[in-house]
Amino acid sequence: MYKFLATYLPKSLANIVIGLWYFVLIMINFYCGIAFAQGTFQYVGW
Amino acid sequence: MKLLIEVILFAIPMILLAWTLPKKYVLLSQIVITGLFIAYQSPISFAILSTITFGNYYLLHKAVLPKPVKVAISLAILVLLIVSAKILFTIHHSWIIPLGMSYYIFRNIHYTVESYNGRIQNEGLLFYLAYNFFLPVLIIGPINRYPEFVRDWQRRRMNNEYFSLGLQRMLYGVSKIMIIGNYFLSSKFPSLISNLGENYVWLKTYLNTITVVLNAYFQFAGYSDIAIGISLLLGFRVMENFNFPFLASNMQEFWSKYHMSLSAFCRDYIYTPIASYFRKPMLGVFITMSIIGLWHEITMPFLIWGLLQAFGIYLAFLFKNSADTWLNKNLGRIFVLNYFCLSCVIIDYQELGKALEVYKILFFIP
């Protein structure tokens, strides 16, 4: 993904975009993780 | 989920030690940490894995016997072990297959066959132990290969690109499990389906079928991503396990993109010998896919599931001369998704009677 961004954007901007993307993804993971820990959604899987 | 978190917790000291210890101690540290992990999780699996590793190494490299005899004994023991574990599981459901056994037995079969073919050099017991006690891939694959493992070790150096790629893969893996698998496909989507109302029985059944399979796929692909990510952080490039399988336009392509390490293993060690001996590729496909089915569990539903996959590949073989147009490709993709998800109904319900009831709804049979 970084390579793709760096092709079309200046390198500094690509760094910011990828950093933001990772941040958002980590936050959503936290949200889902907390929801799971609180038992507000049923877990199916291993 | 608990197991996944524990794998990551054990992997952290492993990664730290991998880049701080002198190189000669790194493999040893990986073996010790993995040994502790497996002994903590499943002592019986630790005992089996240790016995297999030492026993197989001694048999193949130290025992004074003709090479074909050694290989035959090794293969017979490995196959007997996995088959008896699966049969025990089928008969007594209180018996659980030792953690990761299905995978490490296949790794050892690979080692035995390749050492017979002369494609593997004896790198010493430490390498063999490190290959068998490699935490990221131990529990649920991918079934990595020994020559690649040794090559990666020899070329291993601290590489920022690998490290960053590893972290990214782990994040994507966790996201697949947490966001797509657990949150959408296990929680939000099923509740949306159950709110559809009583008149939409067909739609509910169909969406449920697709959701269960996609959930299993995302859980498995997510774990594979985490395993590949941890391996990259340790400096090893483990083979990929999934390559967008649901974008495949026929079942043959699907099985070259879905659980790739298992299908590649079965292609190399089951399909190719059978197809080349009997000169009948389709016989090889049917036997291989049956074994892949039975590898999951030795039950009738899994055998039928395997045969259905083989039939899907046979259909791809029949239509191999069809034009490679945009429409055909996309129709093929819709077919692959539906064929695979519908074939999984048999293993989802585990009982042929219940599966037949679902098929009756899906195919409008009164």
mmCIF file of all heavy atoms in Angstrom, chain A residues 16-43:
data_model
loop_
_atom_site.group_PDB
_atom_site.id
_atom_site.type_symbol
_atom_site.label_atom_id
_atom_site.label_comp_id
_atom_site.label_asym_id
_atom_site.label_seq_id
_atom_site.Cartn_x
_atom_site.Cartn_y
_atom_site.Cartn_z
ATOM 1 N N ILE A 16 2.394 10.382 5.839
ATOM 2 C CA ILE A 16 1.306 10.841 6.715
ATOM 3 C C ILE A 16 0.051 10.004 6.471
ATOM 4 O O ILE A 16 -0.602 9.537 7.412
ATOM 5 C CB ILE A 16 1.016 12.344 6.478
ATOM 6 C CG1 ILE A 16 2.225 13.164 6.930
ATOM 7 C CG2 ILE A 16 -0.223 12.800 7.247
ATOM 8 C CD1 ILE A 16 2.171 14.624 6.535
ATOM 9 N N VAL A 17 -0.269 9.789 5.191
ATOM 10 C CA VAL A 17 -1.487 9.032 4.850
ATOM 11 C C VAL A 17 -1.402 7.615 5.410
ATOM 12 O O VAL A 17 -2.336 7.124 6.050
ATOM 13 C CB VAL A 17 -1.721 9.012 3.319
ATOM 14 C CG1 VAL A 17 -2.865 8.083 2.960
ATOM 15 C CG2 VAL A 17 -2.017 10.406 2.812
ATOM 16 N N ILE A 18 -0.257 6.965 5.227
ATOM 17 C CA ILE A 18 -0.131 5.578 5.702
ATOM 18 C C ILE A 18 -0.150 5.537 7.233
ATOM 19 O O ILE A 18 -0.761 4.643 7.834
ATOM 20 C CB ILE A 18 1.134 4.881 5.119
ATOM 21 C CG1 ILE A 18 1.032 3.353 5.231
ATOM 22 C CG2 ILE A 18 2.408 5.310 5.795
ATOM 23 C CD1 ILE A 18 0.506 2.720 4.012
ATOM 24 N N GLY A 19 0.469 6.546 7.856
ATOM 25 C CA GLY A 19 0.445 6.625 9.329
ATOM 26 C C GLY A 19 -0.982 6.769 9.835
ATOM 27 O O GLY A 19 -1.387 6.075 10.781
ATOM 28 N N LEU A 20 -1.751 7.645 9.196
ATOM 29 C CA LEU A 20 -3.153 7.850 9.589
ATOM 30 C C LEU A 20 -3.965 6.573 9.404
ATOM 31 O O LEU A 20 -4.800 6.205 10.227
ATOM 32 C CB LEU A 20 -3.781 8.984 8.764
ATOM 33 C CG LEU A 20 -3.483 10.402 9.250
ATOM 34 C CD1 LEU A 20 -4.017 11.417 8.256
ATOM 35 C CD2 LEU A 20 -4.117 10.642 10.623
ATOM 36 N N TRP A 21 -3.707 5.894 8.280
ATOM 37 C CA TRP A 21 -4.421 4.653 7.964
ATOM 38 C C TRP A 21 -4.169 3.601 9.051
ATOM 39 O O TRP A 21 -5.092 2.973 9.560
ATOM 40 C CB TRP A 21 -3.995 4.169 6.585
ATOM 41 C CG TRP A 21 -4.320 2.736 6.251
ATOM 42 C CD1 TRP A 21 -3.432 1.773 5.921
ATOM 43 C CD2 TRP A 21 -5.614 2.113 6.213
ATOM 44 N NE1 TRP A 21 -4.070 0.593 5.677
ATOM 45 C CE2 TRP A 21 -5.408 0.769 5.848
ATOM 46 C CE3 TRP A 21 -6.910 2.546 6.456
ATOM 47 C CZ2 TRP A 21 -6.455 -0.144 5.722
ATOM 48 C CZ3 TRP A 21 -7.959 1.628 6.327
ATOM 49 C CH2 TRP A 21 -7.725 0.309 5.961
ATOM 50 N N TYR A 22 -2.894 3.453 9.443
ATOM 51 C CA TYR A 22 -2.576 2.490 10.497
ATOM 52 C C TYR A 22 -3.244 2.902 11.811
ATOM 53 O O TYR A 22 -3.766 2.064 12.545
ATOM 54 C CB TYR A 22 -1.053 2.390 10.710
ATOM 55 C CG TYR A 22 -0.316 1.681 9.604
ATOM 56 C CD1 TYR A 22 1.030 1.925 9.367
ATOM 57 C CD2 TYR A 22 -0.961 0.766 8.790
ATOM 58 C CE1 TYR A 22 1.714 1.284 8.355
ATOM 59 C CE2 TYR A 22 -0.283 0.124 7.768
ATOM 60 C CZ TYR A 22 1.044 0.383 7.552
ATOM 61 O OH TYR A 22 1.722 -0.256 6.560
ATOM 62 N N PHE A 23 -3.215 4.214 12.103
ATOM 63 C CA PHE A 23 -3.803 4.713 13.344
ATOM 64 C C PHE A 23 -5.300 4.390 13.389
ATOM 65 O O PHE A 23 -5.805 3.856 14.389
ATOM 66 C CB PHE A 23 -3.567 6.228 13.453
ATOM 67 C CG PHE A 23 -4.169 6.831 14.686
ATOM 68 C CD1 PHE A 23 -3.578 6.628 15.929
ATOM 69 C CD2 PHE A 23 -5.329 7.590 14.616
ATOM 70 C CE1 PHE A 23 -4.136 7.179 17.069
ATOM 71 C CE2 PHE A 23 -5.899 8.138 15.751
ATOM 72 C CZ PHE A 23 -5.297 7.928 16.984
ATOM 73 N N VAL A 24 -5.993 4.684 12.289
ATOM 74 C CA VAL A 24 -7.437 4.432 12.221
ATOM 75 C C VAL A 24 -7.709 2.935 12.403
ATOM 76 O O VAL A 24 -8.593 2.523 13.164
ATOM 77 C CB VAL A 24 -8.016 4.947 10.876
ATOM 78 C CG1 VAL A 24 -9.438 4.464 10.660
ATOM 79 C CG2 VAL A 24 -7.976 6.461 10.841
ATOM 80 N N LEU A 25 -6.903 2.126 11.714
ATOM 81 C CA LEU A 25 -7.097 0.676 11.783
ATOM 82 C C LEU A 25 -6.888 0.159 13.209
ATOM 83 O O LEU A 25 -7.671 -0.659 13.722
ATOM 84 C CB LEU A 25 -6.109 -0.004 10.833
ATOM 85 C CG LEU A 25 -6.527 -1.311 10.191
ATOM 86 C CD1 LEU A 25 -7.873 -1.171 9.501
ATOM 87 C CD2 LEU A 25 -5.505 -1.748 9.161
ATOM 88 N N ILE A 26 -5.846 0.674 13.868
ATOM 89 C CA ILE A 26 -5.575 0.247 15.254
ATOM 90 C C ILE A 26 -6.733 0.660 16.157
ATOM 91 O O ILE A 26 -7.187 -0.110 17.011
ATOM 92 C CB ILE A 26 -4.229 0.831 15.755
ATOM 93 C CG1 ILE A 26 -3.067 0.156 15.026
ATOM 94 C CG2 ILE A 26 -4.057 0.619 17.257
ATOM 95 C CD1 ILE A 26 -1.725 0.822 15.217
ATOM 96 N N MET A 27 -7.253 1.885 15.949
ATOM 97 C CA MET A 27 -8.363 2.370 16.782
ATOM 98 C C MET A 27 -9.619 1.509 16.582
ATOM 99 O O MET A 27 -10.307 1.163 17.547
ATOM 100 C CB MET A 27 -8.690 3.834 16.442
ATOM 101 C CG MET A 27 -7.688 4.814 16.980
ATOM 102 S SD MET A 27 -7.561 4.707 18.774
ATOM 103 C CE MET A 27 -5.885 4.288 19.014
ATOM 104 N N ILE A 28 -9.904 1.163 15.330
ATOM 105 C CA ILE A 28 -11.087 0.311 15.082
ATOM 106 C C ILE A 28 -10.888 -1.049 15.746
ATOM 107 O O ILE A 28 -11.805 -1.623 16.328
ATOM 108 C CB ILE A 28 -11.374 0.151 13.563
ATOM 109 C CG1 ILE A 28 -11.597 1.506 12.912
ATOM 110 C CG2 ILE A 28 -12.605 -0.721 13.329
ATOM 111 C CD1 ILE A 28 -11.696 1.456 11.398
ATOM 112 N N ASN A 29 -9.635 -1.557 15.676
ATOM 113 C CA ASN A 29 -9.339 -2.832 16.341
ATOM 114 C C ASN A 29 -9.568 -2.737 17.841
ATOM 115 O O ASN A 29 -10.109 -3.647 18.451
ATOM 116 C CB ASN A 29 -7.899 -3.249 16.061
ATOM 117 C CG ASN A 29 -7.800 -4.126 14.843
ATOM 118 O OD1 ASN A 29 -8.415 -5.180 14.798
ATOM 119 N ND2 ASN A 29 -7.077 -3.687 13.849
ATOM 120 N N PHE A 30 -9.150 -1.613 18.420
ATOM 121 C CA PHE A 30 -9.362 -1.393 19.855
ATOM 122 C C PHE A 30 -10.852 -1.394 20.157
ATOM 123 O O PHE A 30 -11.314 -2.026 21.115
ATOM 124 C CB PHE A 30 -8.754 -0.050 20.288
ATOM 125 C CG PHE A 30 -7.380 -0.201 20.855
ATOM 126 C CD1 PHE A 30 -6.295 0.439 20.266
ATOM 127 C CD2 PHE A 30 -7.147 -0.988 21.979
ATOM 128 C CE1 PHE A 30 -5.020 0.293 20.772
ATOM 129 C CE2 PHE A 30 -5.874 -1.137 22.492
ATOM 130 C CZ PHE A 30 -4.804 -0.493 21.891
ATOM 131 N N TYR A 31 -11.592 -0.678 19.329
ATOM 132 C CA TYR A 31 -13.043 -0.583 19.548
ATOM 133 C C TYR A 31 -13.669 -1.988 19.522
ATOM 134 O O TYR A 31 -14.432 -2.353 20.419
ATOM 135 C CB TYR A 31 -13.666 0.314 18.471
ATOM 136 C CG TYR A 31 -15.169 0.260 18.456
ATOM 137 C CD1 TYR A 31 -15.911 0.863 19.464
ATOM 138 C CD2 TYR A 31 -15.850 -0.436 17.445
ATOM 139 C CE1 TYR A 31 -17.294 0.799 19.462
ATOM 140 C CE2 TYR A 31 -17.223 -0.513 17.444
ATOM 141 C CZ TYR A 31 -17.942 0.109 18.451
ATOM 142 O OH TYR A 31 -19.309 0.032 18.453
ATOM 143 N N CYS A 32 -13.293 -2.744 18.494
ATOM 144 C CA CYS A 32 -13.868 -4.094 18.369
ATOM 145 C C CYS A 32 -13.379 -4.984 19.520
ATOM 146 O O CYS A 32 -14.145 -5.787 20.059
ATOM 147 C CB CYS A 32 -13.463 -4.722 17.040
ATOM 148 S SG CYS A 32 -14.238 -3.945 15.647
ATOM 149 N N GLY A 33 -12.108 -4.815 19.892
ATOM 150 C CA GLY A 33 -11.547 -5.607 20.986
ATOM 151 C C GLY A 33 -12.259 -5.327 22.299
ATOM 152 O O GLY A 33 -12.578 -6.255 23.057
ATOM 153 N N ILE A 34 -12.539 -4.027 22.556
ATOM 154 C CA ILE A 34 -13.221 -3.661 23.808
ATOM 155 C C ILE A 34 -14.657 -4.193 23.784
ATOM 156 O O ILE A 34 -15.140 -4.763 24.766
ATOM 157 C CB ILE A 34 -13.173 -2.127 24.020
ATOM 158 C CG1 ILE A 34 -11.741 -1.709 24.339
ATOM 159 C CG2 ILE A 34 -14.100 -1.692 25.149
ATOM 160 C CD1 ILE A 34 -11.480 -0.227 24.213
ATOM 161 N N ALA A 35 -15.305 -4.050 22.618
ATOM 162 C CA ALA A 35 -16.681 -4.568 22.492
ATOM 163 C C ALA A 35 -16.703 -6.069 22.758
ATOM 164 O O ALA A 35 -17.592 -6.589 23.424
ATOM 165 C CB ALA A 35 -17.220 -4.268 21.106
ATOM 166 N N PHE A 36 -15.668 -6.750 22.263
ATOM 167 C CA PHE A 36 -15.568 -8.198 22.465
ATOM 168 C C PHE A 36 -15.330 -8.523 23.941
ATOM 169 O O PHE A 36 -15.988 -9.375 24.530
ATOM 170 C CB PHE A 36 -14.433 -8.747 21.601
ATOM 171 C CG PHE A 36 -14.023 -10.136 21.969
ATOM 172 C CD1 PHE A 36 -14.941 -11.168 21.941
ATOM 173 C CD2 PHE A 36 -12.711 -10.422 22.328
ATOM 174 C CE1 PHE A 36 -14.569 -12.453 22.280
ATOM 175 C CE2 PHE A 36 -12.340 -11.707 22.668
ATOM 176 C CZ PHE A 36 -13.272 -12.713 22.644
ATOM 177 N N ALA A 37 -14.412 -7.746 24.567
ATOM 178 C CA ALA A 37 -14.078 -7.990 25.975
ATOM 179 C C ALA A 37 -15.284 -7.727 26.883
ATOM 180 O O ALA A 37 -15.475 -8.402 27.882
ATOM 181 C CB ALA A 37 -12.909 -7.104 26.386
ATOM 182 N N GLN A 38 -16.090 -6.719 26.505
ATOM 183 C CA GLN A 38 -17.273 -6.406 27.320
ATOM 184 C C GLN A 38 -18.429 -7.359 27.049
ATOM 185 O O GLN A 38 -19.467 -7.287 27.686
ATOM 186 C CB GLN A 38 -17.720 -4.972 27.047
ATOM 187 C CG GLN A 38 -16.775 -3.931 27.636
ATOM 188 C CD GLN A 38 -17.172 -2.531 27.241
ATOM 189 O OE1 GLN A 38 -17.858 -2.343 26.247
ATOM 190 N NE2 GLN A 38 -16.737 -1.557 28.015
ATOM 191 N N GLY A 39 -18.224 -8.216 26.053
ATOM 192 C CA GLY A 39 -19.262 -9.200 25.734
ATOM 193 C C GLY A 39 -20.466 -8.607 25.030
ATOM 194 O O GLY A 39 -21.551 -9.173 25.029
ATOM 195 N N THR A 40 -20.243 -7.422 24.391
ATOM 196 C CA THR A 40 -21.383 -6.825 23.692
ATOM 197 C C THR A 40 -21.596 -7.438 22.304
ATOM 198 O O THR A 40 -22.563 -7.171 21.649
ATOM 199 C CB THR A 40 -21.209 -5.297 23.525
ATOM 200 O OG1 THR A 40 -19.908 -5.060 23.015
ATOM 201 C CG2 THR A 40 -21.402 -4.578 24.836
ATOM 202 N N PHE A 41 -20.663 -8.230 21.868
ATOM 203 C CA PHE A 41 -20.980 -9.059 20.702
ATOM 204 C C PHE A 41 -20.461 -10.467 20.905
ATOM 205 O O PHE A 41 -19.446 -10.677 21.565
ATOM 206 C CB PHE A 41 -20.530 -8.441 19.394
ATOM 207 C CG PHE A 41 -19.052 -8.413 19.147
ATOM 208 C CD1 PHE A 41 -18.409 -9.510 18.601
ATOM 209 C CD2 PHE A 41 -18.325 -7.272 19.410
ATOM 210 C CE1 PHE A 41 -17.052 -9.473 18.343
ATOM 211 C CE2 PHE A 41 -16.965 -7.222 19.150
ATOM 212 C CZ PHE A 41 -16.326 -8.319 18.636
ATOM 213 N N GLN A 42 -21.230 -11.390 20.335
ATOM 214 C CA GLN A 42 -20.917 -12.796 20.553
ATOM 215 C C GLN A 42 -19.747 -13.199 19.670
ATOM 216 O O GLN A 42 -19.699 -12.814 18.498
ATOM 217 C CB GLN A 42 -22.155 -13.632 20.204
ATOM 218 C CG GLN A 42 -22.107 -14.995 20.815
ATOM 219 C CD GLN A 42 -23.171 -15.893 20.196
ATOM 220 O OE1 GLN A 42 -24.014 -15.438 19.466
ATOM 221 N NE2 GLN A 42 -23.074 -17.165 20.482
ATOM 222 N N TYR A 43 -18.834 -13.921 20.245
ATOM 223 C CA TYR A 43 -17.664 -14.311 19.484
ATOM 224 C C TYR A 43 -17.843 -15.696 18.892
ATOM 225 O O TYR A 43 -18.205 -16.631 19.573
ATOM 226 C CB TYR A 43 -16.452 -14.282 20.410
ATOM 227 C CG TYR A 43 -15.227 -14.901 19.801
ATOM 228 C CD1 TYR A 43 -14.571 -14.279 18.759
ATOM 229 C CD2 TYR A 43 -14.763 -16.130 20.241
ATOM 230 C CE1 TYR A 43 -13.463 -14.845 18.191
ATOM 231 C CE2 TYR A 43 -13.647 -16.704 19.676
ATOM 232 C CZ TYR A 43 -13.001 -16.045 18.649
ATOM 233 O OH TYR A 43 -11.908 -16.622 18.079
#
